[in-house]
């Protein structure tokens, strides 16, 4: 029996499957019919087989309507994995369509489905933006069931803080049992210039760094990161090279933009370190005043822990 014969047999054996296939081959499946398939009166195995065959049978223009319904079938019936695999093949769906499928997959509630989707995200799809949104919804399951796979993905040496990776590290760092590897990688980003200008591949704007450090001011896990950021800035100021000086000004400006809670600390450290000549201090003056203004707006600010 050919695949087309088997698809016809399944459609002929159930009125709802028959209607769904007819719609998919015509103008696309309706939302109501797609919703109804969750409760269709066939076995989970038969539904999975129908979906897998239909995904390869329908016109490309009609596939998206089926694709965004597959996460619900997978979550509630365990059916649709093979069909979804087909939809995720390169060139099958557009980037916008894939984004909608990913958003629907993030609604999964079954741990087994979450674990499977995590495997696809980290081994095949490898999209850091989508991975961040996935972890925001399912970090509990990931930490319980596949923490090592998450670490292997996030700590890969070619990953910079851009594409929401630094936000993902912020999320994970607060929850993992051993934050040391994530702290090490984040410090490496700081010292390697991934928050500097000009931007490099995988980099992130320094403002994001200082926004996160401000939000985590009372979290002891982030103290090392604040210290590294300050030490990096002071190091840049020790050089007379214009490019490095511009980077230092970039960081000072980013601190002001982020209303950085360590504004007064870094001002004191700059003056205490005596890292600049009088001419350089004149160049720094407006930036230091901007940080002073930030500090004045934070009367409840506490000193940087040591």
């Amino acid at each position: 029996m050919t695949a087309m014969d088997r698809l016809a047999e399944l459609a002929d054996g159930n009125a709802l499957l028959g209607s769904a296939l007819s719609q998919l081959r015509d103008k696309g499946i309706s939302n109501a019919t797609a919703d109804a398939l969750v409760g269709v009166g066939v076995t989970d195995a038969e539904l999975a087989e129908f979906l897998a065959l239909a995904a390869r049978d329908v016109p490309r223009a009609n596939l998206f309507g089926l694709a965004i319904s597959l996460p619900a079938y997978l979550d509630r019936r365990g059916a649709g994995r093979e069909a979804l695999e087909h939809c995720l093949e390169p060139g099958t769906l557009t980037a916008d369509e894939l984004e909608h499928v990913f958003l629907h997959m993030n609604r999964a509630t079954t741990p087994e489905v979450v674990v499977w989707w995590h495997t696809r995200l980290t081994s095949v799809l490898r999209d850091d933006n989508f991975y961040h949104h996935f972890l925001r919804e399912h970090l509990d399951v990931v930490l319980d069931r596949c923490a090592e796979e998450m670490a292997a993905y996030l700590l890969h040496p070619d990953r910079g803080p851009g594409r929401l990776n630094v936000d993902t590290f912020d999320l994970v760092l607060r929850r993992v049992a051993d934050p040391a590897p994530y702290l090490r990688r984040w410090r490496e980003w700081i010292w390697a210039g991934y928050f500097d200008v000009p931007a490099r591949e995988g980099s992130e704007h320094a403002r994001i760094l200082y926004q996160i450090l401000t939000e985590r001011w009372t979290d002891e896990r982030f103290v090392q990161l604040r210290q590294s950021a300050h030490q990096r800035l002071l190091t840049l100021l020790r050089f007379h090279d214009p490019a490095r000086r511009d980077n230092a000004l970039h960081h000072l400006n980013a601190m002001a933009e982020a209303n950085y809670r360590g504004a007064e600390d870094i001002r004191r450290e700059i003056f205490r370190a005596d890292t600049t000549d009088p001419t350089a201090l004149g160049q720094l003056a407006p930036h230091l005043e901007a940080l002073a203004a930030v500090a004045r707006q934070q009367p409840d600010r506490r000193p940087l822990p040591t």
Side-chain angles (χ1 to χ4, degrees):
M1 180 182 293
T2 67
M4 185 152 309
D5 291 337
R6 178 55 178 160
L7 179 59
E9 182 179 58
L10 290 168
D12 290 342
N14 181 278
L16 187 54
L17 293 184
S19 176
L21 181 60
S22 177
Q23 292 176 39
L24 284 166
R25 286 173 168 172
D26 185 18
K27 297 180 180 179
I29 192 168
S30 70
N31 292 334
T33 300
D35 290 347
L37 283 183
V38 172
V40 64
V42 297
T43 66
D44 294 342
E46 289 173 330
L47 177 59
E49 188 178 10
F50 171 82
L51 295 170
L53 294 171
R56 289 169 171 79
D57 175 83
V58 303
R60 160 66 188 82
N62 296 345
L63 183 58
F64 175 58
L66 177 64
I68 59 173
S69 301
L70 293 173
Y73 308 150
L74 187 57
D75 196 39
R76 296 176 60 181
R77 298 282 301 264
R81 183 175 300 185
E82 185 178 346
L84 187 57
E85 293 275 19
H86 170 72
C87 294
L88 297 177
E89 291 176 0
T92 303
L93 297 176
T94 68
D96 287 344
E97 289 171 342
L98 279 173
E99 181 173 357
H100 282 86
V101 174
F102 283 24
L103 291 175
H104 280 259
M105 275 302 303
N106 280 356
R107 300 172 185 170
T109 58
T110 306
E112 290 72 22
V113 173
V114 172
V115 170
W116 173 78
W117 186 235
H118 183 265
T119 300
R120 309 314 294 160
L121 284 171
T122 56
S123 64
V124 179
L125 302 172
R126 302 183 66 83
D127 187 294
D128 295 341
N129 281 309
F130 291 135
Y131 190 62
H132 171 73
H133 292 295
F134 167 82
L135 285 184
R136 287 179 58 185
E137 298 294 331
H138 301 295
L139 185 56
D140 287 340
V141 174
V142 172
L143 290 176
D144 182 55
R145 304 278 290 270
C146 39
E148 291 186 354
E149 290 81 356
M150 177 190 72
Y153 180 77
L154 290 178
L155 298 175
H156 194 278
D158 68 355
R159 179 158 287 100
R163 293 184 58 77
L164 296 182
N165 281 319
V166 71
D167 299 273
T168 299
F169 269 57
D170 171 41
L171 180 69
V172 171
L173 185 57
R174 289 176 281 136
R175 298 285 305 281
V176 291
D178 179 14
Y182 298 93
L183 287 168
R184 176 182 292 274
R185 176 54 49 81
W186 200 327
R187 292 198 304 271
E188 290 172 350
W189 286 340
I190 292 171
W191 285 102
Y194 275 98
F195 299 98
D196 292 356
V197 289
R200 56 186 289 188
E201 184 177 358
S203 67
E204 182 57 272
H205 197 286
R207 179 184 65 257
I208 305 300
L209 169 65
Y210 297 115
Q211 285 175 343
I212 293 174
L213 294 181
T214 294
E215 291 169 0
R216 310 300 169 218
W217 187 261
T218 59
D219 191 324
E220 293 185 359
R221 293 189 174 194
F222 288 77
V223 172
Q224 295 180 40
L225 299 178
R226 293 201 297 271
Q227 292 172 339
S228 291
H230 288 201
Q231 291 165 6
R232 164 75 171 162
L233 174 59
L234 295 174
T235 299
L236 289 171
L237 287 172
R238 289 191 182 98
F239 293 94
H240 296 287
D241 176 59
R244 290 178 175 175
R245 183 59 52 78
D246 287 344
N247 257 324
L249 298 180
H250 166 70
H251 279 269
L252 291 173
N253 188 55
M255 289 178 177
E257 290 180 355
N259 292 316
Y260 180 46
R261 200 166 181 180
E264 184 59 25
D265 291 299
I266 196 63
R267 288 180 74 254
R268 291 174 179 174
E269 290 176 26
I270 289 173
F271 287 113
R272 185 165 57 243
D274 191 24
T275 57
T276 57
D277 56 35
T279 301
L281 279 175
Q283 188 181 19
L284 290 175
H287 298 275
L288 296 177
E289 178 53 37
L291 291 179
V294 169
R296 286 194 293 270
Q297 297 171 6
Q298 301 170 341
D300 62 337
R301 189 193 60 78
R302 298 292 181 267
L304 179 68
T306 58

